[in-house]
Amino acid sequence: MTKAKSNVMTDFGAPIIVLVLICAIMSGLLALTNKATAPIIAAAEAKAKEEARLEVLPEADSFLQVEIAGLPDAVQEVYQAENGAGYTFSLKAQGYGGKGTLNLTVGIDMDGKITGTKVLSHSETVGLGSKITTDEFKNQFPGQDASYVSDIKNIDTISGATRSSNFYRLALTYAFEAFDMVKEAA
């Protein structure tokens, strides 16, 4: 029996070329899919943010974005209600999952009282830290001011998830810092 001659190109080169071509084609298809869906995803995110602003500041009719320098790093966006009802603050603060993993919106009226809070996304522990999204937890904040939020003793923390509660409280203090800056600039 004769032994077939080994050819480096057919034994190694051809499979490598085929795999590279498959990867290139799939990457191209993923890029096209991303390009086609990016505007749809951006529109859905913008709509969710607008709905969150209206939820946390229900007295508002519409919003104007406020540009101000020197805001705390966690504060991503500030909007003022056009009817003067107050401000909303979009925050990406540190959560149990790390920096920028707690994404929430806070409404503060012109008197410096919280009108509402809404967690848009988080990486807290399911069934424990994730309780920061429950009405039972977040309903303790409407009507409260910066002095209430600054003292941890005032906050009804979630049993077993005090770190998540503290991260939430800290995010609220950033919102109040931004509120003070916006009020001072107005």
Side-chain angles (χ1 to χ4, degrees), residues 74 91-104 119 121-125 129 132 161-171 174:
L91 299 117
K92 278 195 177 193
Q94 179 166 339
Y96 191 70
K99 186 175 182 177
T101 59
L102 180 57
N103 184 4
L104 69 145
V119 175
S121 65
H122 66 85
S123 296
E124 305 306 298
T125 305
I132 60 172
T162 54
R163 290 188 67 189
S164 297
S165 303
N166 287 337
F167 288 134
Y168 196 98
R169 181 191 65 80
L170 185 58
Y174 294 141

Side-chain angles (χ1 to χ4, degrees), residues 100-141:
T101 59
L102 180 57
N103 184 4
L104 69 145
T105 302
V106 179
I108 300 177
D109 66 18
M110 296 306 282
D111 296 327
K113 307 275 186 187
I114 296 174
T115 56
T117 64
K118 179 173 179 76
V119 175
L120 301 175
S121 65
H122 66 85
S123 296
E124 305 306 298
T125 305
V126 176
L128 195 59
S130 65
K131 290 181 181 179
I132 60 172
T133 63
T134 65
D135 288 340
E136 183 180 347
F137 179 76
K138 66 182 187 173
N139 285 345
Q140 67 182 307
F141 299 108

Side-chain angles (χ1 to χ4, degrees), residues 37-55 62-63 65 77 79 88 90 92 103 105 118 120:
T37 59
I40 297 166
I41 292 169
E45 287 175 354
K47 183 179 180 196
K49 286 181 179 181
E50 179 70 17
E51 289 171 354
R53 285 191 289 274
L54 288 169
E55 184 178 328
S62 59
F63 297 94
Q65 189 167 11
E77 297 176 324
Y79 283 86
T88 65
S90 298
K92 278 195 177 193
N103 184 4
T105 302
K118 179 173 179 76
L120 301 175

